[in-house]
Amino acid sequence: MKITECEADRGGAIYTSSCVGVINNSTITGNTAIEYGGAIYNSNSNCDMEINNTEISNNSVTSGHGGGIYATGSLIINGNTVISNNTASKSGGGIKVGKNGRITTNEGIIKERLIKLLENSKLSAVYLPLSP
């Protein structure tokens, strides 16, 4: 799937309030949102979103958070997923995860290549809330 140059208030390319499940082998570039998730916004904090072998780049949020991805639930990143050159006006240039969410990976991407994956994402690459 390829999604480019879309605009929305939330989720420039993809907005979901249900358990969307998995995004595989996709390119999501050049999209814009006003508030949350320049590329992807998942508003359901009870659902995990999994992203595999996907490029998420050059997306932006003009007045909010999560230039690449804003996930209120948990985010699972696998395979050769690349998240780069995304921007947000407030926080999480690459990724913002909500207060009950978490980021995990089965292939060590976050641990080993976080800087490379989120290269050039403006205004903090990843925003994770602090645990109470």
Side-chain angles (χ1 to χ4, degrees), residues 21-124:
V22 180
I23 297 173
N24 287 318
N25 305 314
S26 298
T27 302
I28 305 170
T29 62
N31 302 287
T32 304
I34 295 171
E35 295 179 287
Y36 306 119
I40 301 167
Y41 176 56
N42 181 357
S43 67
N44 191 329
S45 62
N46 296 316
C47 294
D48 292 344
M49 174 177 279
E50 183 175 341
I51 301 173
N52 302 304
N53 302 313
T54 293
E55 176 188 351
I56 299 170
S57 63
N58 301 306
N59 301 287
S60 63
V61 173
T62 58
S63 297
H65 311 276
I69 302 166
Y70 188 114
T72 59
S74 295
L75 183 61
I76 303 163
I77 300 173
N78 294 313
N80 293 316
T81 296
V82 174
I83 301 169
S84 66
N85 297 313
N86 299 288
T87 60
S89 63
K90 294 187 178 174
S91 65
I95 300 169
K96 178 164 181 167
V97 176
K99 65 181 179 178
N100 296 318
R102 67 189 183 284
I103 299 174
T104 59
T105 180
N106 293 334
E107 296 182 20
I109 295 170
I110 294 297
K111 260 198 291 194
E112 296 173 17
R113 298 186 339 196
L114 178 61
I115 301 303
K116 179 67 176 161
L117 278 174
L118 300 168
E119 66 186 26
N120 300 320
S121 292
K122 304 296 184 228
L123 196 64
S124 78

